[in-house]
Amino acid sequence: MIRQRQAADLDAWLRTCQASPSGEVQHFVDMLQRDDAAVTAALMLPWSNGPVEGHINRLQLIKRSGYGRMQLDLLRQRVLYDAA
């Protein structure tokens, strides 16, 4: 359903999961239903925020590696050097 972007199957899948005896699965379905518009859009639209998340992860790693030792100028130099 996710890989083929079949948003039409989402409601049937959610109903099946809601009938599950597992409380964790039911809670997961409740959380998905709270943000139904975003979940449906994620299944229908071709865009992904994966590259953005990758850049954020890279920047956090650089920041944490120099925590307490790095001033803003050194941080800027490392970020720009890694991007090149």
Side-chain angles (χ1 to χ4, degrees), residues 27-59:
H27 179 69
F28 178 67
V29 170
D30 290 340
M31 293 298 116
L32 287 179
Q33 288 175 336
R34 285 185 185 180
D35 204 5
D36 186 55
V39 173
T40 303
L43 289 174
M44 294 175 68
L45 301 174
W47 299 300
S48 170
N49 67 340
V52 174
E53 294 293 333
H55 288 299
I56 290 171
N57 189 22
R58 181 181 65 85
L59 291 173

Side-chain angles (χ1 to χ4, degrees), residues 38-80:
V39 173
T40 303
L43 289 174
M44 294 175 68
L45 301 174
W47 299 300
S48 170
N49 67 340
V52 174
E53 294 293 333
H55 288 299
I56 290 171
N57 189 22
R58 181 181 65 85
L59 291 173
Q60 287 177 342
L61 180 66
I62 291 170
K63 181 181 132 187
R64 288 182 185 131
S65 69
Y67 186 73
R69 300 182 304 249
M70 204 180 301
Q71 298 297 325
L72 185 58
D73 56 341
L74 181 58
L75 178 63
R76 183 179 294 121
Q77 185 179 18
R78 285 198 61 191
V79 167
L80 293 177

